[in-house]
């Protein structure tokens, strides 16, 4: 699809990757609905602001009704609470509620909208952690693995209405959430550019940076080899 002819909705557009995506969409000529739980925190001149909590089914229904011209759904909103699989189960459930169930709720709510507008595209911002978990964030990784599998499944289920499903994977983005981590990070603007280029090219999957490429290429190898290589990289 052509971004300059698109009408896009971006979740979690108030900061980080979501804001970068909404900004890049505007710069490329798209109409943009920028959503957040608190839309007053969104600073994007030219965007149409909508209040949206993706874990609230009624809010998703209302958004689909308000933005009935959308043909590009960008599921960026996500959560990472540092939950571990043997740790606080409430953190695990919360991460899965946002990253898997919230994302799926958006796709279910907007699938008829996309169909009515010619098919369009769905973008799910996933993670390198979709393929391998890192210590201290195993719950997040499980939720992102589920999101990646969901994207692959939705690609089959939405093919009949002509909807492209693109899954985007990266290591750490340079955002407020990661400012305390002394690790390689990718600029959110780079993520946005790679994502939109991927959509225009009809890509099923976008691997943004070297970290994500390492995770992806190691997915079928011995995990011991992967963790040894990762330790050398970071």
């Amino acid at each position: 699809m052509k971004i300059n002819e698109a009408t896009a909705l971006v979740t979690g557009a108030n900061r980080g990757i979501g804001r970068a995506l909404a900004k890049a969409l505007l710069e490329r000529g798209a109409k943009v609905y920028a959503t957040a739980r608190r839309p007053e925190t969104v600073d994007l001149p030219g965007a149409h602001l909508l209040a949206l909590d993706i874990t609230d089914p009624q809010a998703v229904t209302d958004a689909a009704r308000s933005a009935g011209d959308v043909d590009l759904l960008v599921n960026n909103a996500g959560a990472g609470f540092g939950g571990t699989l043997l740790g606080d189960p409430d953190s695990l459930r919360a991460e899965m509620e946002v990253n898997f169930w919230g994302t799926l709720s958006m796709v279910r709510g907007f699938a008829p909208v996309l169909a009515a507008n010619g098919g369009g595209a769905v973008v799910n911002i996933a993670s390198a952690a979709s393929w391998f978990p890192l210590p201290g964030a195993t719950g997040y990784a499980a939720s992102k693995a589920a999101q990646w599998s969901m994207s692959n499944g939705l690609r089959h289920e939405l093919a009949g209405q002509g909807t492209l499903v693109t899954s985007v994977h990266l290591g750490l983005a340079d955002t407020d959430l990661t400012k305390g981590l002394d690790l390689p990070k990718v600029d959110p603007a780079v993520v946005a550019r790679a994502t939109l280029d991927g959509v225009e090219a009809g890509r099923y999957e976008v691997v943004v940076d070297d970290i994500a490429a390492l995770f992806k290429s190691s997915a079928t190898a011995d995990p011991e080899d992967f963790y040894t290589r990762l330790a050398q990289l970071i």
Side-chain angles (χ1 to χ4, degrees), residues 23-100:
K23 183 173 182 289
L25 283 159
L26 288 167
E27 290 172 349
R28 295 197 189 194
K31 176 181 176 179
V32 177
Y33 293 96
T35 80
R37 285 181 296 177
R38 294 171 51 225
E40 67 274 12
T41 63
V42 179
D43 178 21
L44 284 167
H48 301 263
L49 306 186
L50 286 178
L52 176 59
D53 178 349
I54 68 170
T55 66
D56 180 346
Q58 187 58 55
V60 172
T61 297
D62 292 344
R65 186 178 298 115
S66 298
D69 53 345
V70 164
D71 57 6
L72 173 57
L73 173 64
V74 182
N75 289 311
N76 163 76
F81 302 115
T84 58
L85 296 174
L86 298 180
D88 179 13
D90 290 337
S91 291
L92 293 174
R93 290 190 182 96
E95 287 172 331
M96 192 66 74
E97 186 66 28
V98 176
N99 298 336
F100 179 79

Side-chain angles (χ1 to χ4, degrees), residues 122-219:
V122 171
V123 173
N124 293 329
I125 303 298
S127 172
S130 298
W131 298 307
F132 279 100
L134 294 178
T138 50
Y140 174 81
S143 70
K144 285 298 184 177
Q147 189 186 66
W148 175 56
S149 182
M150 174 183 65
S151 295
N152 290 332
L154 287 170
R155 197 169 292 121
H156 295 295
E157 296 189 17
L158 294 175
Q161 67 177 48
T163 300
L164 170 72
V165 179
T166 300
S167 185
V168 178
H169 299 263
L170 62 142
L172 291 176
D174 190 7
T175 66
D176 290 344
L177 293 176
T178 63
K179 62 184 177 182
L181 298 175
D182 185 20
L183 293 169
K185 299 171 189 174
V186 61
D187 188 327
V190 172
V191 180
R193 182 168 61 251
T195 299
L196 300 187
D197 288 349
V199 171
E200 287 199 313
R203 299 271 307 277
Y204 284 2
E205 196 165 87
V206 173
V207 178
V208 175
D209 58 357
D210 290 342
I211 293 290
L214 170 61
F215 279 47
K216 173 71 173 179
S217 65
S218 301

